[in-house]
């Protein structure tokens, strides 16, 4: 059974139906339920818009299928084509960073990180590539990190100690009430590697 609407509301529903509005949109605009709108539109001989079909969710992956392990930025290339495959022999991708190799290696020699190198390339050389491109290139340039060499002293207990001085922080002098630079005194025992650190004037 169709609810009875006022003549003004009925005319509004029919006018919106003639404009091709969906039942849902008419309901939102007028506050009249879709079923009621449908009845009035059918009585006026107005064809209703077909309801949209819901999109089905993507099918679940089969248990033995694996997700993609490579990302290809060129949609026309098959997986692995960047290295040169039988499908496209001889095709090798070249990094946007390759023309700037010298500047990148110089910056790496100054212990700069990938972000600062990328910013310098953009500012000084008009580089149009993204940060991730520079990060990948820097990783390839660095290669495996080299192990840092340390000199280890093997001594008997109480036989040897190492002394060093360094610059300490600014500290307020209790007598003059002014800040003064301190010196850092470090004594490290050779056998146990225990150390004493003292601030002195």
């Amino acid at each position: 059974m169709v609810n009875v609407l006022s003549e003004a509301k009925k005319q509004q529903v029919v006018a919106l139906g003639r404009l091709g509005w969906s039942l849902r949109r008419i309901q939102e605009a007028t506050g009249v339920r879709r079923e009621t709108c449908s009845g009035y539109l059918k009585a006026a001989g107005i064809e209703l818009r077909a309801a949209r079909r819901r999109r089905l969710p993507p099918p679940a992956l089969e248990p033995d299928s694996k997700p993609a392990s490579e990302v290809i930025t060129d949609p026309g290339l098959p997986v692995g084509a960047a290295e040169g495959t039988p499908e496209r022999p001889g095709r090798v991708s070249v990094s946007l960073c390759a023309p700037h190799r010298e500047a990148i290696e110089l910056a790496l020699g100054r212990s700069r990180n990938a972000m600062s190198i990328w910013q310098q390339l953009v500012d000084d050389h008009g580089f149009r590539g993204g940060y991730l491109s520079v990060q990948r290139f820097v990783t390839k340039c660095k290669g495996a990190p080299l192990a840092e060499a340390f000199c280890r002293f093997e001594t008997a207990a109480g036989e040897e100690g190492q002394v060093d001085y360094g610059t300490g922080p600014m500290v307020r002098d209790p007598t003059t009430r002014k800040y003064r630079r301190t010196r850092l005194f470090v004594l490290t025992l050779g056998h146990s590697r225990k150390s004493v650190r003292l601030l002195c004037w």
Side-chain angles (χ1 to χ4, degrees):
M1 178 176 170
V2 178
N3 291 338
V4 179
L5 298 176
S6 66
E7 190 61 30
K9 192 64 93 172
K10 176 183 170 185
Q11 292 301 323
Q12 185 181 12
V13 168
V14 171
L16 294 176
R18 284 195 177 118
L19 290 174
W21 284 30
S22 66
L23 291 175
R24 183 182 304 273
R25 190 172 174 195
I26 294 172
Q27 177 181 340
E28 290 171 357
T30 62
V32 178
R33 293 190 52 164
R34 285 181 278 180
E35 295 80 7
T36 306
C37 293
S38 174
Y40 278 107
L41 292 174
K42 284 178 184 174
I46 298 171
E47 189 176 322
L48 298 175
R49 265 177 67 179
R52 290 184 182 174
R53 296 175 72 181
R54 282 190 169 178
R55 290 184 178 177
L56 296 175
L61 292 174
E62 295 177 16
D64 58 342
S65 64
K66 296 179 182 175
S69 60
E70 291 187 46
V71 176
I72 298 176
T73 56
D74 184 358
L77 291 177
V79 174
E83 288 78 28
T85 60
E87 293 87 10
R88 299 187 64 145
R91 179 171 173 109
V92 178
S93 67
V94 178
S95 173
L96 292 173
C97 302
H100 308 286
R101 175 182 289 275
E102 198 172 307
I104 292 172
E105 288 176 348
L106 182 65
L108 284 173
R110 295 178 180 159
S111 300
R112 299 195 51 201
N113 63 14
M115 178 59 76
S116 65
I117 293 172
W118 173 69
Q119 289 170 344
Q120 180 185 4
L121 289 175
V122 170
D123 294 343
D124 298 346
H125 302 282
F127 183 69
R128 295 184 177 269
Y131 163 68
L132 292 177
S133 175
V134 174
Q135 187 182 36
R136 285 189 299 269
F137 193 80
V138 164
T139 303
K140 287 179 185 174
C141 286
K142 280 184 178 178
L146 298 173
E148 192 174 341
F150 292 99
C151 184
R152 184 179 177 97
F153 293 99
E154 298 288 338
T155 62
E159 184 178 306
E160 185 180 307
Q162 297 168 337
V163 177
D164 197 8
Y165 281 97
T167 305
M170 296 288 285
V171 177
R172 188 186 297 257
D173 189 338
T175 56
T176 63
R177 308 297 296 161
K178 293 184 179 180
Y179 282 96
R180 287 178 54 192
R181 174 72 60 194
T182 58
R183 299 281 292 161
L184 180 62
F185 170 81
V186 181
L187 168 69
T188 306
L189 299 175
H191 179 72
S192 64
R193 306 307 299 165
K194 293 194 181 217
S195 61
V196 176
R197 296 176 180 91
L198 300 172
L199 287 178
C200 49
W201 299 112

